[in-house]
Amino acid sequence: MATPRLQRLFLRLYASFLVLTIVGGLAAGMVLHATSRRPGNAGPNWGTRLAFHLSRTLSGISDDNTLRDTLQGAHDDLDVDLVVLTPDFKPRASGGAPFATPPQHLLDRARKGPAWLPPPFGIVAAPMDDKRMLVVRFPGPSAQRRTLRWTLMILAGLACTTILLYPLSRSITRPLEQLTVVARRFGEGDLSARARIDRRDEVGQLANTFDEMAGRIQAARRAERELLANVSHELRTPLARIQVALALLAPRDEKDRARAQMIGEEVEELGRLIGDVLTTSKLELSAQPLQKRELVARDLAEKARERALALEPLRDIQVEVPQALVIDADEGLIGRVLDNLVDNARKYDPSGKPIRIEGRREGADVLLAVQDNGPGIPESDLASVFEPFFRGGNARSNTSGFGLGLALARRVAEAHGGSIRALNGQGGGARLELRVPAKA
């Protein structure tokens, strides 16, 4: 079954170009025929009949002036050159352009009736009743006329080919363009993109193969996300038990308390990581619908500040968000995004200077930005900071985490119809800007 299917497009192209060639040739032939319907290009029978009738008409004219005028009139009407010869083959009267008289042995062929003389003369000789001879020359088309004829033939062939070739070209390229758009969408992350091209040729087979491949990849990614979400969910229970056990421990001295505190911080960090993984997986699986409600942006920023101070009490975090900014968003998800942005600033800014949370209205959006005073983000890393598991080269060596916080931030922003970007502030340091739609 595969071999015949692979031949169909080839046969279609072959047959189409064959038809185009035939149609173009027919069009050129029609032009040639239309421009050739004149006495100078008529067939042999037509020429002999014309010469016969002219010889009968001219036989009754003996006056040379009348004969000359009649020949000239025939030339003007029929576009032929004529000459009447005496019985001894001397020119007596003519009409049209002069031409060389054929030799006597050729003219003798026409004594009994009109006859075409052989090339290169291209003329007809016909006897008259009084033993005179009428010689008619059918001049060929002029060089200008031949040029015009060939030009028209070429233009007619090109016109027919162009008109017929366009639908053929579109029928071939349209599904390829459609497949290109779908492949681009799939490459940009839209795993639901499908070509769905119903054709029984190579292009259709390619589209079907792409759709099957895309379906398998989407199923594999979904299974991967489901597994990751299930594992993350199951890990929360033992982590909660460890935190309870740590809280019940009674350290005997300062060293034991320091060790217990360090273990607690690591467990808490691991809990945040698992929470990010679980949230990201649920968002990508569309298993966690957004629970939007009206939120005051400054309240969200203050909560993020409080959670950051609980982890690093000595770090100054400034909130510069007007109280009037209101958004329509999922409080848990947007709160986690702000936590991750502030946490990212703490990790990558060893200066100890204040971290600012800024907010303002820009058109239909609310802009929430976190600005630090660290070394900033290398230009080569700006396009990658929101990729999962990416960690910049200027992170502090003792910084924990696996590079999922900013990836989750981008996913949450897109789920709200917003966006997020990373840049370097004018005065130095990294700046992460989250845009979400404002409350209408």
Side-chain angles (χ1 to χ4, degrees), residues 4-263:
R5 185 178 282 184
L6 289 176
Q7 291 177 352
R8 286 199 176 107
L9 184 57
F10 163 74
L11 292 176
R12 181 181 176 189
L13 290 174
Y14 179 79
S16 299
F17 284 115
L18 183 61
V19 169
L20 289 177
T21 303
I22 294 174
V23 172
L26 289 175
M30 292 174 63
V31 172
L32 178 63
H33 178 70
T35 57
S36 300
R37 292 185 62 86
R38 55 193 302 270
N41 294 53
N45 293 332
W46 189 93
T48 55
R49 290 199 304 270
L50 176 64
F52 175 77
H53 289 294
L54 287 174
S55 66
R56 299 284 76 78
T57 302
L58 297 172
S59 294
I61 302 175
S62 57
D63 181 67
D64 289 348
N65 291 331
T66 303
L67 181 61
R68 187 179 302 109
D69 292 342
T70 304
L71 292 174
Q72 187 62 41
H75 164 74
D76 295 338
D77 293 339
L78 302 175
D79 195 19
V80 294
D81 300 325
L82 310 96
V83 63
V84 173
L85 303 179
T86 62
D88 57 351
F89 303 111
K90 302 295 183 181
R92 182 173 178 179
S94 64
F99 58 93
T101 304
Q104 183 176 347
H105 71 278
L106 293 178
L107 293 173
D108 285 338
R109 300 182 179 181
R111 286 192 178 277
K112 295 182 179 181
W116 278 90
L117 303 184
F121 300 102
I123 60 179
V124 175
M128 299 172 64
D129 293 344
D130 52 2
K131 297 185 180 181
R132 290 177 297 177
M133 181 75 70
L134 173 65
V135 180
V136 183
R137 185 181 71 163
F138 299 93
S142 63
Q144 182 178 4
R145 193 177 184 87
R146 288 194 298 270
T147 302
L148 177 61
R149 180 186 303 167
W150 281 105
T151 302
L152 291 176
M153 289 171 56
I154 294 173
L155 290 178
L158 288 176
C160 291
T161 303
T162 302
I163 293 173
L164 296 177
L165 190 59
Y166 179 79
L168 170 65
S169 302
R170 289 301 299 156
S171 67
I172 296 174
T173 58
R174 186 181 293 109
L176 294 178
E177 292 172 357
Q178 180 180 348
L179 186 58
T180 301
V181 172
V182 172
R184 184 181 296 113
R185 287 173 51 199
F186 190 84
E188 291 173 353
D190 183 5
L191 300 185
S192 63
R194 298 292 186 273
R196 296 184 177 89
I197 297 175
D198 186 16
R199 291 171 62 109
R200 299 181 62 186
D201 54 23
E202 292 90 339
V203 178
Q205 187 180 47
L206 175 62
N208 292 335
T209 303
F210 174 85
D211 288 348
E212 293 173 0
M213 176 200 69
R216 289 193 294 269
I217 292 177
Q218 185 180 28
R221 287 293 303 274
R222 185 175 183 84
E224 173 189 333
R225 294 296 180 185
E226 288 177 348
L227 175 62
L228 192 59
N230 291 333
V231 171
S232 301
H233 185 270
E234 293 300 324
L235 285 175
R236 283 187 159 185
T237 300
L239 281 177
R241 292 172 181 167
I242 294 175
Q243 288 177 325
V244 171
L246 285 173
L248 294 176
L249 284 176
R252 289 173 297 180
D253 52 31
E254 190 64 29
K255 289 184 178 180
D256 289 341
R257 281 194 294 272
R259 293 190 185 99
Q261 182 180 358
M262 181 183 66
I263 294 173

Side-chain angles (χ1 to χ4, degrees), residues 422-440:
L423 63 157
N424 290 309
Q426 295 181 354
R431 181 179 178 86
L432 299 172
E433 295 183 346
L434 170 68
R435 292 178 182 271
V436 291
K439 178 66 177 179

Side-chain angles (χ1 to χ4, degrees), residues 296-335:
V296 178
R298 183 177 180 86
D299 294 344
L300 294 173
E302 289 289 352
K303 291 179 181 179
R305 174 179 178 273
E306 293 172 4
R307 286 189 286 266
L309 290 178
L311 298 175
E312 192 174 352
L314 300 180
R315 193 63 177 262
D316 185 14
I317 300 177
Q318 302 172 353
V319 176
E320 302 174 4
V321 181
Q323 189 69 31
L325 290 182
V326 179
I327 62 176
D328 188 19
D330 186 306
E331 182 177 8
L333 293 178
I334 294 296

